[in-house]
Amino acid sequence: MSQHVLSLLVEDKPGLLTRVAGLFARRGFNIESLAVGATEAPGFSRITVVVSVDGLPLEQVTKQLEKLVNVIQVVELEPDTTVERDHMLIKVATTADTKAKVLETVTLFGARVVDEASEALMVEITDETVNCDAFVKALAPFGIKELVQSGVLAMAKGSDSFSQQILGTTKAN
């Protein structure tokens, strides 16, 4: 199975996310990542969905998504023309002996400490998913007390904006 990133431009309406997720569930697709947030256009949101599936079934789901009321556009983002980022907060156990090693790992991965307690550090990383996963593996031997992760955020490279094309919005000054 291959991983696919879909970007949906939708009207910001109650219940729409449930209908979108339900469509994937009815097809038996597991959503690996889901992120939703406001766009530059008031009243619209962007949903980024990551699913693993092969070929034709994804086309069927995409067509069904486009038929949902309040879905404006569905675009599959191609890996080589897209910037993807994941965001994690990780609480790592520390002792007097391990704290320096944890801090070294944090620096090596370009993460940052956002909270410090007597027996733990909370660190934040924003990077490609593969790098975030490698960071988690590097911290695992120290003891991960807690981890939260956003869904993948993705945007096509270049100056074009599909929401501007669809909605006719303009750049903010």
Side-chain angles (χ1 to χ4, degrees):
M1 284 200 194
S2 57
Q3 192 175 71
H4 300 271
V5 178
L6 299 177
S7 181
L8 288 70
L9 181 63
V10 300
E11 293 178 16
D12 192 8
K13 300 290 183 184
L16 181 59
L17 182 59
T18 301
R19 292 196 318 269
V20 167
L23 226 161
F24 285 98
R26 284 192 298 278
R27 287 283 184 191
F29 296 159
N30 185 42
I31 295 174
E32 293 181 16
S33 173
L34 179 68
V36 183
T39 68
E40 69 284 359
F44 294 90
S45 295
R46 176 137 11 252
I47 301 174
T48 306
V49 184
V50 179
V51 294
S52 287
V53 64
D54 283 325
L56 193 57
L58 184 66
E59 286 181 37
Q60 293 169 349
V61 169
T62 300
K63 288 177 183 175
Q64 290 176 342
L65 285 168
E66 289 172 341
K67 291 179 184 177
L68 287 177
V69 175
N70 307 118
V71 173
I72 307 303
Q73 186 178 28
V74 180
V75 174
E76 182 173 358
L77 299 173
E78 298 299 327
D80 44 338
T81 60
T82 302
V83 174
E84 294 181 21
R85 293 293 182 264
D86 206 339
H87 186 188
M88 293 181 170
L89 294 173
I90 307 161
K91 195 175 292 182
V92 185
T94 58
T95 64
D97 295 335
T98 63
K99 187 173 183 178
K101 291 178 185 173
V102 170
L103 289 171
E104 183 179 319
T105 304
V106 167
T107 302
L108 178 68
F109 279 86
R112 68 185 187 110
V113 175
V114 293
D115 185 56
E116 194 170 338
S118 60
E119 297 178 354
L121 291 174
M122 185 187 308
V123 295
E124 173 185 42
I125 186 167
T126 302
D127 205 334
E128 295 176 17
T129 301
V130 67
N131 295 337
C132 288
D133 292 344
F135 183 55
V136 170
K137 285 181 184 176
L139 292 177
F142 301 107
I144 294 176
K145 298 170 82 70
E146 193 172 0
L147 183 146
V148 293
Q149 178 176 3
S150 73
V152 169
L153 297 176
M155 185 181 293
K157 293 177 181 178
S159 59
D160 289 342
S161 166
F162 80 82
S163 56
Q164 285 180 356
Q165 293 168 357
I166 299 297
L167 303 174
T169 58
T170 59
K171 290 187 237 179
N173 294 336

